[in-house]
Amino acid sequence: ETGVTQSPTHLIKTRGQQVTLRCSSQSGHNTVSWYQQALGQGPQFIFQYYREEENGRGNFPPRFSGLQFPNYSSELNVNALELDDSALYLCASSTRGSPNEKLFFGSGTQLSVL
Amino acid sequence: KQEVTQIPAALSVPEGENLVLNCSFTDSAIYNLQWFRQDPGKGLTSLLLIQSSQREQTSGRLNASLDKSSGRSTLYIAASQPGDSATYLCAVPSYGGATNKLIFGTGTLLAVQP
């Protein structure tokens, strides 16, 4: 157990809908990163939040957006869902978000878009 | 652009066998390399993190090595057990940025047969 919790664990949506995924970081961690993992692939970096500000973004369109709250929990929002958005969404937390830190991952949210 | 590759994609071994998983990366400018374990549909558990100045890290039956000059890392699992069955992923942080954005390989799916 890493102390990083994600909700919900599973979600089914239809194309065009919007979805919000949630993540609570490990105690003492102020950085949250989000990753998308398609079936059979390694996770792909979506973005990172540090002290409530976006601090780095991967190659994802603007319909992927996020928030970090004062308690360092975070949300990932995806608008206008597409079939290819079906994936496991992973949240990870760390203390500073620096390259030499370990990341602690949650168990993920499995999103299915029909 | 850093690319991470893992070979083989899948591996099946009988219980008790020693085995080696391979990870290669194209850019030797790395801060560290991390090995993760992922159970089906679940999040990632960090196994070992090797700093760029290190050659090896050990944890129990696991030993990870790093050869930056050749762009390779190996994960050695001694005396494999059915409970070791999982996907093993290696990852390196993106170099030169302010984040700990990880670049992952596609993983090796390990099945240990009892």
Side-chain angles (χ1 to χ4, degrees), chain A residues 7-110:
Chain A
S7 62
T9 55
H10 295 82
L11 203 50
I12 300 174
K13 292 286 189 177
T14 56
R15 196 170 48 183
Q17 285 188 312
Q18 179 266 342
V19 69
T20 297
L21 310 182
R22 295 179 175 82
C23 171
S24 293
S25 59
Q26 184 164 306
S27 177
H29 288 183
N30 58 22
T31 304
V32 173
S33 304
W34 288 92
Y35 288 78
Q36 180 197 64
Q37 186 178 22
L39 192 63
Q41 301 297 313
Q44 300 287 319
F45 177 78
I46 303 175
F47 43 57
Q48 180 181 88
Y49 278 83
Y50 172 69
R51 294 187 175 180
E52 303 178 56
E53 297 284 332
E54 186 178 293
N55 178 37
R57 188 177 182 94
N59 188 26
F60 281 81
R63 58 190 187 82
F64 285 77
S65 63
L67 281 174
Q68 188 178 33
F69 300 99
N71 66 356
Y72 304 126
S73 65
S74 177
E75 286 183 356
L76 165 64
N77 299 290
V78 187
N79 294 321
L81 283 166
E82 300 178 0
L83 298 180
D84 284 349
D85 296 333
S86 296
L88 180 67
Y89 288 84
L90 296 164
C91 161
S93 74
S94 60
T95 52
R96 296 183 309 280
S98 68
N100 265 323
E101 286 187 285
K102 274 191 180 182
L103 290 183
F104 295 84
F105 283 83
S107 297
T109 293
Q110 185 66 55

Side-chain angles (χ1 to χ4, degrees), chain B residues 85-101:
Chain B
S85 299
T87 297
Y88 291 81
L89 294 146
C90 65
V92 296
S94 176
Y95 195 82
T99 71
N100 53 7
K101 162 188 172 182

Side-chain angles (χ1 to χ4, degrees), chain B residues 3-78:
Chain B
E3 292 183 1
V4 180
T5 306
Q6 291 187 246
I7 295 173
L11 182 63
S12 180
V13 300
E15 182 177 2
E17 194 161 295
N18 302 326
L19 59 101
V20 174
L21 307 180
N22 297 291
C23 171
S24 60
F25 44 96
T26 55
D27 187 345
S28 61
I30 61 171
Y31 294 108
N32 56 62
L33 185 142
Q34 208 164 345
W35 283 93
F36 293 89
R37 169 186 170 134
Q38 186 174 32
D39 292 295
K42 299 295 186 183
L44 278 64
T45 300
S46 179
L47 298 173
L48 291 163
L49 185 152
I50 315 176
Q51 299 292 352
S52 62
S53 58
Q54 297 176 315
R55 296 296 297 264
E56 281 189 11
Q57 275 285 338
T58 298
S59 176
R61 295 182 295 108
L62 306 179
N63 176 276
S65 68
L66 176 64
D67 184 344
K68 275 181 54 179
S69 60
S70 67
R72 293 179 185 174
S73 176
T74 61
L75 179 67
Y76 174 83
I77 302 177

